[in-house]
Amino acid sequence: MTVTAIASTTHEEIYRVEEASAGLLGFIAIHSTRLGPAAGGLRMRPYASEEEALTDVQRLSEGMTYKNAAAGLTLGGGKAVIIGDPARDKSPDLLRAFARAIESLDGRYITAEDMGMSPSDMGVLAEETRFVAGLADGEFASGDPSPITARGIFNAICTTRAHKHGSRDLGDVTVAVQGLGHVGWYLCQFLTEAGAKLVVTDIDEARVEQAIAEFEVKAVPLDEIYGVDADVFAPCAIGGILNAQTIPQLKADIVAGGANNQLATAADAAGLHARGILYAPDFVANGGGIINVATEIQRIRDRKGFVAEKLQALDETMASILIQAEAADVSPAEMAIATVQARMASSSKAA
């Protein structure tokens, strides 16, 4: 296996990981360890190129720094990606090889489940590295973080609705959900229980049919989800989907979802703001998963109590960001970054 350091002016450490015999090619990025060891999930996707994967891991790891800070965790930001189709290319040998690369970093990066991975995959990683969380069993096992992530996103939708329209009630509210993976699915469940009407889309047609049967949702083709006549747009798939092409199509006046790096560029936050669309910053809205994983990393026995406390604090942070952004007439994305940067600076001074 070859682990090669890549020079960076934006990240503390970046590594290219390759083991040809296992079909492994991927990257690990440590953005910041200012608040603690870098924590963030391992993602597997069929990236079109190494450059695309490297760009993604850098953006995702930076997002984890902000996410962990927003959630009030003593963890820094990191991320890992593997190039490949998880349905076809993932194997125990590939996972074990990548785990050895993680182990070689001696705890500066701690991984967990993300897109294309499962708790059972984390178990395979644990055969070769101590620095993995999101396990299905064990004394401090936190399991699948998706339900907690979805709960945080559900809270964010309620909070943005309350800020925009004065009520957290979702009865008769229409939500367009983009992506029916683990997080999107649980979000649909919570929204349905709250009385919301759903319009969904996903690349997996079988998953869409299952959602229609279970939640009585309306389904639309992938490209039509942006223009759906909805109150809330909830992106829960890949990042970069809020851009100059999609923002003009939106009919919803709130965007709150689970995808990481939803904004293609910083200018797109201003584009939403200019249109009067209230944006729930993604790294605040989707912080529930890492809160859940943190209980395992930090070996917290009262997991339910810790998660409930941190989710409540995260919701209060979201509400505060929305209030401050409105007062300053800026995008909540801009205010969210300023908020977490202030927290990190305060932590550094205290240290």
Side-chain angles (χ1 to χ4, degrees), residues 103-127:
E103 181 68 20
S104 73
L105 300 180
D106 200 28
R108 297 193 300 280
Y109 167 66
I110 302 168
T111 199
E113 176 191 356
D114 196 358
M115 186 183 295
M117 292 290 154
S118 67
S120 62
D121 293 327
M122 297 303 103
V124 176
L125 293 173
E127 296 173 13

Side-chain angles (χ1 to χ4, degrees), residues 147-190:
I148 309 300
T149 304
R151 175 58 67 181
I153 299 160
F154 175 81
N155 291 345
I157 290 173
C158 293
T159 298
T160 49
R161 280 282 301 174
H163 184 86
K164 186 86 171 174
H165 299 289
S167 172
R168 296 179 68 89
D169 183 17
L170 299 183
D172 293 328
V173 168
T174 299
V175 182
V177 180
Q178 180 188 47
L180 295 171
H182 290 280
V183 172
W185 191 268
Y186 281 110
L187 179 60
C188 286
Q189 187 176 76
F190 296 146

Side-chain angles (χ1 to χ4, degrees), residues 165-283:
H165 299 289
S167 172
R168 296 179 68 89
D169 183 17
L170 299 183
D172 293 328
V173 168
T174 299
V175 182
V177 180
Q178 180 188 47
L180 295 171
H182 290 280
V183 172
W185 191 268
Y186 281 110
L187 179 60
C188 286
Q189 187 176 76
F190 296 146
L191 290 168
T192 300
E193 290 169 357
K197 298 182 178 69
L198 305 182
V199 181
V200 305
T201 196
D202 193 273
I203 58 173
D204 185 342
E205 292 183 9
R207 191 72 163 167
V208 171
E209 291 301 320
Q210 187 180 357
I212 292 171
E214 186 155 339
F215 303 121
E216 298 182 358
V217 301
K218 176 184 175 182
V220 297
L222 295 172
D223 320 355
E224 294 181 16
I225 194 68
Y226 304 104
V228 164
D229 190 6
D231 301 289
V232 179
F233 174 52
C236 295
I238 60 173
I241 51 83
L242 295 171
N243 53 53
Q245 288 72 47
T246 60
I247 290 172
Q249 299 178 48
L250 295 176
K251 295 181 181 176
D253 62 6
I254 288 172
V255 174
N260 290 310
N261 300 326
Q262 294 169 24
L263 299 166
T265 70
D268 295 311
L272 288 169
H273 185 62
R275 285 203 57 204
I277 298 172
L278 186 60
Y279 173 62
D282 51 36
F283 61 80

Side-chain angles (χ1 to χ4, degrees), residues 70-72 284 291 307-319 343:
V284 184
I291 288 172
V307 168
E309 178 185 337
K310 290 295 185 183
L311 278 180
Q312 177 63 31
L314 191 65
D315 198 37
E316 291 170 1
T317 295
M318 177 69 81
R343 285 187 180 182

Side-chain angles (χ1 to χ4, degrees), residues 78-155:
K79 204 78 174 185
V81 301
I82 295 174
I83 300 173
D85 182 345
R88 186 186 65 229
D89 303 322
K90 186 166 59 178
S91 69
D93 285 347
L94 178 144
L95 293 173
R96 291 189 191 103
F98 201 80
R100 290 191 290 273
I102 294 170
E103 181 68 20
S104 73
L105 300 180
D106 200 28
R108 297 193 300 280
Y109 167 66
I110 302 168
T111 199
E113 176 191 356
D114 196 358
M115 186 183 295
M117 292 290 154
S118 67
S120 62
D121 293 327
M122 297 303 103
V124 176
L125 293 173
E127 296 173 13
E128 298 286 346
T129 182
R130 298 161 288 169
F131 306 113
V132 57
L135 299 172
D137 45 50
E139 185 178 3
F140 294 95
S142 59
D144 182 3
S146 302
I148 309 300
T149 304
R151 175 58 67 181
I153 299 160
F154 175 81
N155 291 345

